[in-house]
Amino acid sequence: MTIRGMEGVRAIRLVSAILGLLMAATAQAQDNPDTRNFAQRVIAQMEQAMPGGSFTSEPGDPLQVNALDAPGMEEGIVNLHRFYKYCQTASREDCAAQIDRLLAGLVQAQDDPQLNDLRVIVRDRQYWEAIKEALKQAGGLPLHRQIGEDLFALVALDTPDSIVIATSAHLADLGLNADRAWELAAEKTSAAIPQLPSAQDLQSDLLVYEGDAYMGSLLFDLDAWQTVSAAAGPDLMVTITSDSFVVVGLLPDGENLEGFKQAVREDCAAAPRCISPNIYRYRDGGWVIAR
């Protein structure tokens, strides 16, 4: 079943086994000897291209490379997934050429952020605390807003192959103040993600939002969710197990909710880059954990 007007969204009924299998299959597909070897080869080239930077694979997802203290980058994420896929069928020469272009783009992107790269991402408290610690000596605190009990929205700079958390130093390079940066990031993020559901969309099925990235950013616009929540009622719930998998629906307290909580925790454990194992309700202008 596909909901009209919601590109990238499909509706499914509450079937915990399906959700668990989907996320577990994704995790398994991304973590194997071939992906680990590919990532290590590219990391070695990154270290040569950006001396002084630290590059490590994300546990469970070798093709996500976490960068720290790279020149001009401070903290960021480099996604190798599409390069790995390309190199499975390309010649060795063509694969090497693509990696060379990636490295050249990374070095150039760090020195020349663009307004079109601004995005809003949503992460949990653990991520926020780690970023705050990593960047406290590099350009000040990143732009952030707490949008829930343990959820934070952050402004980032997104190039085709990396995501860098925006700091005051980046804003200076772009000629922006914080308010304008938030405005532009919100505008460009909203244009890149599906529309929020209406109360009518939520009446029969859970909605599953799937995409390569930024599905988690669906949660950042609290004013828009205020409208959805007011129309949908107190049973509105959302999950954000990863940046590519968000579930929205109406689920009252009780046995079904408790069973779904367990499914969400299992999905989070299986996901290579889980954001949160919790189910959230919209209360008092933000996201609170359903208990």
Side-chain angles (χ1 to χ4, degrees):
M1 175 181 177
T2 301
I3 304 297
R4 291 183 180 178
M6 290 187 177
E7 184 178 357
V9 180
R10 63 185 177 87
I12 63 170
R13 297 194 179 278
L14 177 56
V15 183
S16 300
I18 291 177
L19 299 179
L21 287 173
L22 175 62
M23 299 304 292
T26 301
Q28 184 177 13
Q30 291 177 327
D31 189 359
N32 57 62
D34 287 341
T35 56
R36 290 193 289 271
N37 290 335
F38 180 85
Q40 287 305 309
R41 291 197 300 271
V42 177
I43 285 174
Q45 293 176 266
M46 289 180 179
E47 291 171 341
Q48 184 175 4
M50 291 177 277
S54 171
F55 305 93
T56 57
S57 284
E58 176 75 7
D61 185 5
L63 298 176
Q64 175 188 313
V65 177
N66 300 320
L68 183 64
D69 295 329
M73 196 172 185
E74 289 96 35
E75 195 281 344
I77 296 169
V78 181
N79 290 315
L80 300 179
H81 301 79
R82 70 182 182 89
F83 294 94
Y84 174 76
K85 182 177 181 180
Y86 173 80
C87 288
Q88 297 312 292
T89 56
S91 69
R92 180 176 298 181
E93 293 77 12
D94 288 344
C95 174
Q98 286 293 323
I99 299 302
D100 287 344
R101 280 192 281 271
L102 164 65
L103 296 172
L106 287 174
V107 173
Q108 180 181 5
Q110 310 322 316
D111 296 330
D112 190 20
Q114 302 293 320
L115 293 177
N116 285 336
D117 297 335
L118 287 165
R119 297 291 187 274
V120 178
I121 62 173
V122 174
R123 297 293 187 266
D124 67 351
R125 184 180 299 278
Q126 182 178 4
Y127 183 96
W128 159 243
E129 294 293 344
I131 289 295
K132 183 171 62 173
E133 180 67 21
L135 296 185
K136 66 181 181 181
Q137 300 297 331
L141 287 177
L143 271 68
H144 70 284
R145 293 175 179 173
Q146 187 166 359
I147 62 170
E149 189 172 344
D150 64 346
L151 294 176
F152 293 79
L154 300 97
V155 173
L157 293 162
D158 182 14
T159 68
D161 306 303
S162 66
I163 298 174
V164 180
I165 304 303
T167 66
S168 56
H170 292 115
L171 299 193
D173 290 340
L174 292 168
L176 299 175
N177 61 29
D179 289 342
R180 183 57 177 158
W182 272 108
E183 182 180 353
L184 286 174
E187 174 185 312
K188 296 181 184 304
T189 304
S190 295
I193 60 178
Q195 293 182 343
L196 297 187
S198 68
Q200 183 177 358
D201 295 328
L202 297 168
Q203 290 307 309
S204 59
D205 291 324
L206 296 180
L207 298 179
V208 174
Y209 292 80
E210 294 180 82
D212 292 335
Y214 294 115
M215 295 300 102
S217 298
L218 284 161
L219 276 66
F220 88 87
D221 191 343
L222 296 179
D223 290 340
W225 279 106
Q226 172 64 51
T227 301
V228 175
S229 177
D235 293 338
L236 176 70
M237 69 91 196
V238 301
T239 74
I240 180 173
T241 49
S242 77
D243 209 25
S244 60
F245 197 79
V246 167
V247 179
V248 183
L250 301 179
L251 196 58
D253 293 341
E255 184 176 352
N256 284 341
L257 179 67
E258 294 306 311
F260 194 48
K261 286 180 182 179
Q262 180 60 32
V264 171
R265 287 191 290 267
E266 292 172 359
D267 293 341
C268 182
R273 290 166 281 170
C274 177
I275 294 178
S276 174
N278 299 316
I279 293 176
Y280 295 91
R281 304 280 200 198
Y282 188 89
R283 298 287 189 271
D284 299 322
W287 298 110
V288 302
I289 299 171
R291 293 183 168 87

